[in-house]
Amino acid sequence: MSTFLKVILRNVIKGPSTIKYPFADSPAPEKLRGKIQHNPEACVACRMCEYVCAGGAIRLQESDDKKGVNFVVWHNSCTFCGLCEFYCPTKAIHLTNDYHTAHLQEDKYSFCEKTLVRKQRCSCCGEPIIPLSPTLVEKVYGKDGDEKGLSRMCRKCRRKALWKDGVFKL
Ligand code: SF4
Ligand code: SF4
């Protein structure tokens, strides 16, 4: 049997060697930089991601009802550079390995992720604040920082609490 026939026979028996995408899902490498995921619980609305974003894909704006800050990332403007994830001080942004970013032209303004970073009341004076994430409090004030409730205080009350303790950092 000729080599050519052998190849045909082998292919007929083994079936296609490529993935039938888009009819079957194609696995992506774990470290592929794909669609952004934002965790509003960890976000402190510092706007660092908006500042460093190479594609101008991120916007943070106070919500109309003043209950928090709207975080929006437009997937079609994102260049998957990873700067937002790298510079986020609280690890609130993560680039997933989801590469499904094809969309219709008319959907370009709705192809985005929107989350709300909610304001809370300061545990001392009641002023509305974006609470600090425990990760950030630990980074700045050490492991017992969150035990003192610093993450739920406004800047002024946090300063007072730190003066009282003899530790002044913000
Ligand atoms: S996602 Fe990170 S960098 Fe962006 S505003 Fe929130 S805390 Fe700051
Ligand atoms: S990966 Fe780069 S372009 Fe995409 S949102 Fe983050 S900073 Fe912007």
Side-chain angles (χ1 to χ4, degrees):
M1 199 189 293
S2 75
T3 320
F4 179 66
L5 280 176
K6 272 187 201 165
V7 171
I8 291 183
L9 200 62
R10 191 190 65 206
N11 286 352
V12 167
I13 294 166
K14 281 181 79 178
S17 55
T18 50
I19 294 162
K20 290 179 184 170
Y21 187 81
F23 304 108
D25 209 17
S26 165
E30 222 170 89
K31 289 193 175 168
L32 181 99
R33 294 197 301 233
K35 264 161 98 181
I36 301 273
Q37 208 171 47
H38 178 247
N39 175 7
E41 307 296 322
C43 179
V44 291
C46 67
R47 296 177 185 266
M48 180 54 86
C49 52
E50 186 181 50
Y51 181 71
V52 298
C53 179
I58 297 177
R59 282 287 170 277
L60 283 107
Q61 251 173 357
E62 177 137 33
S63 64
D64 293 341
D65 59 7
K66 312 271 182 219
K67 284 189 175 165
V69 175
N70 285 321
F71 173 97
V72 185
V73 54
W74 280 274
H75 296 304
N76 57 354
S77 297
C78 176
T79 58
F80 311 109
C81 65
L83 286 176
C84 54
E85 179 175 333
F86 182 79
Y87 283 106
C88 175
T90 63
K91 308 284 169 226
I93 285 192
H94 171 59
L95 272 78
T96 65
N97 66 351
D98 181 359
Y99 57 87
H100 298 95
T101 52
H103 59 281
L104 295 171
Q105 178 70 358
E106 63 248 42
D107 293 338
K108 67 178 177 182
Y109 294 119
S110 55
F111 190 52
C112 58
E113 178 173 331
K114 287 182 191 168
T115 53
L116 177 69
V117 183
R118 284 191 183 281
K119 284 184 182 169
Q120 288 180 16
R121 297 267 169 201
C122 166
S123 57
C124 297
C125 67
E127 195 190 318
I129 53 155
I130 300 284
L132 290 183
S133 81
T135 323
L136 198 57
V137 170
E138 193 179 316
K139 237 188 224 178
V140 181
Y141 303 109
K143 281 204 169 141
D144 59 341
D146 207 37
E147 283 163 24
K148 292 177 195 151
L150 297 176
S151 61
R152 293 173 300 285
M153 289 180 194
C154 70
R155 193 177 165 135
K156 275 186 194 164
C157 296
R158 201 162 57 237
R159 193 180 285 174
K160 273 186 208 160
L162 291 166
W163 269 115
K164 238 190 237 171
D165 279 7
V167 191
F168 183 73
K169 285 195 179 171
L170 268 186

